[in-house]
Amino acid sequence: MKAYKYRSIEKDIFERDFETIKNNSFYSSNYSMLNDPFDIYFNEEISQLIDLLKTLFPYQELENFENQFKEVLNFKEEIGVYCLSKDFLNEQLWAYYASSYSGYCVEYDLDKLIDKEQNFDFQYQFEIDYKDNIPTLGIDDMINLQEGFIKKMFATKKSAWRHEEEIRLIFDKFGMKKFHPSAITGIYFGAKTTEIIKESFYGIFKDMDVKFYEVFPSNFKLDFKLIHETKRKLKYDLNKFDFEILQHKINVSHESYYIFYKGLKKEAEIEEFVFAFREKFCIKENSLYIFDNKEILNLIDVYPKNDDEYIKYADSIITVSDDWNEKIINNPFKDFKYAEIKKIR
């Protein structure tokens, strides 16, 4: 998923933001710095309920619960908030946050931006819920903390802001955060953005895969066009291989790709493909599951696999390549279990 950040070119702001982008960083703000005075604004009924229960049941557990609840409420003083939009052609946002079309808009790969290997304190990603009533925290919201309690606190805004189509990232602490260099995939310039601003960005991304666009008015709406592109200098040419990514799984320290490979199963060719694929796509320790058909997609997440499924899955594998394993052709599923099933048959 892509997400967008509109930025101004006012002198001090531009110089600060340019340096943070150059250093693969962004700043998650304290809630007090947000421009909506009603942001993170809510009522709560839980304190009254606790007070009532304490008069009826004066147990230490209620005191502990009250203290924990107060800690959660005070959490808003510490959190970091990073606000993005789902829309890069938003007329109001270009006017408000991008110096009236003289600024720019950064396009992020959202999955890479929230990678906990880069920022262990990342906690929540929300699409803002726009409402005209003040959110009220009740005891029911304690059952599902993320979709109830936390979302009401940090991801509810007045409907007047609906046009922003905001995505909000929540961190344990406000301040500078890091991202992998490949997280930025594009920069959109306004129709009034100067060439010196554009050239500055071309320079810092000269060795990265980034596309640059110009946003301009056309037929009473905004449109855009590609005006420049930078690319990494790669050792291998992945374009010579015919393949399809079936699935990508990623966690804090590891990622797995499940790939339908349409070329020849020659070991030398598979080896070059593995090197080329890793160079192009992988950003963590990784495993590549390479199959000779795409029908296997339905079995990837089947656990446990029955005998027929296990045999079909194993027979479809060209190789499973872990980045720490030098062996190119490797099929760990053709193991003792595979041999036992085959023997029975």
Side-chain angles (χ1 to χ4, degrees):
M1 180 180 178
K2 298 296 176 66
Y4 304 90
K5 186 71 172 180
Y6 292 79
R7 301 312 295 154
S8 167
I9 58 162
E10 293 179 25
K11 187 174 186 299
D12 292 342
I13 295 175
F14 176 75
E15 290 177 355
R16 178 200 67 196
D17 290 346
F18 188 80
E19 283 303 308
T20 59
I21 292 172
K22 187 177 179 181
N23 293 317
N24 305 317
S25 303
F26 62 92
Y27 187 80
S28 62
S29 304
N30 177 270
Y31 87 98
S32 63
M33 300 173 65
L34 302 176
N35 62 353
D36 177 7
F38 301 107
D39 222 329
I40 311 186
Y41 192 91
F42 54 86
N43 292 325
E44 57 90 4
E45 300 172 340
I46 299 173
S47 294
Q48 292 176 314
L49 178 61
I50 293 173
D51 289 340
L52 175 61
L53 290 173
K54 283 168 64 178
T55 62
L56 298 174
F57 310 101
Y59 299 134
Q60 182 62 43
E61 288 78 4
L62 284 172
E63 292 282 354
N64 294 338
F65 179 75
E66 181 180 33
N67 291 334
Q68 291 173 353
F69 177 64
K70 288 178 179 177
E71 287 180 10
V72 172
L73 292 182
N74 291 334
F75 178 55
K76 74 174 186 177
E77 306 293 336
E78 300 294 330
I79 66 161
V81 181
Y82 196 53
C83 304
L84 301 153
S85 175
K86 295 190 290 183
D87 185 9
F88 64 90
L89 294 176
N90 189 301
E91 296 174 32
Q92 292 100 323
L93 298 187
W94 275 105
Y96 298 160
Y97 302 123
S99 302
S100 297
Y101 296 88
S102 296
Y104 60 98
C105 176
V106 181
E107 177 185 84
Y108 290 107
D109 180 325
L110 190 56
D111 289 335
K112 293 181 179 178
L113 198 63
I114 64 175
D115 181 6
K116 288 180 76 73
E117 187 174 29
Q118 301 289 328
N119 300 293
F120 278 95
D121 70 333
F122 168 73
Q123 292 298 336
Y124 303 106
Q125 171 191 327
F126 292 113
E127 292 189 14
I128 291 293
D129 190 12
Y130 297 98
K131 293 183 176 180
D132 284 323
N133 299 320
I134 300 174
T136 299
L137 305 179
I139 196 68
D140 289 345
D141 295 313
M142 301 294 288
I143 298 171
N144 186 342
L145 281 177
Q146 180 167 336
E147 289 303 314
F149 197 89
I150 303 297
K151 187 169 186 175
K152 281 187 176 181
M153 285 180 71
F154 302 130
T156 305
K157 295 186 68 169
K158 296 180 72 172
S159 58
W161 298 86
R162 187 183 302 275
H163 64 278
E164 293 193 344
E165 296 188 67
E166 185 179 336
I167 296 172
R168 179 165 290 183
L169 309 183
I170 305 294
F171 300 83
D172 283 341
K173 299 287 184 181
F174 63 88
M176 296 301 298
K177 308 299 174 185
K178 298 291 291 182
F179 58 78
H180 190 273
S182 63
I184 291 182
T185 55
I187 303 287
Y188 294 79
F189 299 114
K192 301 177 184 178
T193 308
T194 63
E195 286 302 314
I196 192 169
I197 295 291
K198 295 176 183 177
E199 293 291 341
S200 297
F201 280 106
Y202 299 160
I204 64 172
F205 291 112
K206 63 182 180 180
D207 295 321
M208 299 300 299
D209 294 327
V210 178
K211 293 183 178 180
F212 301 87
Y213 305 89
E214 181 179 294
V215 173
F216 57 91
S218 176
N219 295 323
F220 214 54
K221 65 178 183 179
L222 291 182
D223 203 348
F224 68 103
K225 63 182 179 182
L226 181 69
I227 59 172
H228 190 71
E229 186 172 1
T230 55
K231 287 188 173 294
R232 286 182 291 160
K233 295 178 177 64
L234 301 177
K235 180 179 178 180
Y236 299 97
D237 180 12
L238 189 61
N239 293 323
K240 65 191 284 188
F241 300 101
D242 192 5
F243 67 96
E244 180 181 341
I245 297 175
L246 301 177
Q247 193 174 113
H248 179 214
K249 297 180 181 180
I250 189 167
N251 59 35
V252 173
S253 59
H254 189 269
E255 61 183 330
S256 298
Y257 280 94
Y258 298 80
I259 306 158
F260 167 34
Y261 183 73
K262 306 175 187 180
L264 300 175
K265 298 181 185 179
K266 295 180 179 179
E267 184 168 352
E269 182 174 319
I270 297 299
E271 180 178 25
E272 186 179 354
F273 170 71
V274 166
F275 290 153
F277 187 92
R278 283 205 170 101
E279 181 182 41
K280 178 69 174 179
F281 289 109
C282 296
I283 64 172
K284 298 173 179 280
E285 288 189 359
N286 57 80
S287 299
L288 308 183
Y289 294 77
I290 304 175
F291 302 95
D292 62 10
N293 68 83
K294 65 184 300 182
E295 290 71 28
I296 208 68
L297 176 61
N298 294 329
L299 293 179
I300 291 174
D301 293 320
V302 174
Y303 301 105
K305 295 174 176 61
N306 63 36
D307 287 355
D308 288 339
E309 292 167 340
Y310 197 90
I311 293 297
K312 181 178 180 182
Y313 194 78
D315 285 344
S316 299
I317 289 174
I318 298 173
T319 187
V320 177
S321 177
D322 298 314
D323 59 0
W324 59 86
N325 189 345
E326 294 182 0
K327 189 175 181 181
I328 296 302
I329 301 300
N330 174 47
N331 191 341
F333 287 84
K334 288 191 174 180
D335 55 6
F336 178 78
K337 179 178 178 179
Y338 179 90
E340 285 295 303
I341 296 171
K342 283 287 195 179
K343 187 187 299 182
I344 293 172
R345 294 180 174 185

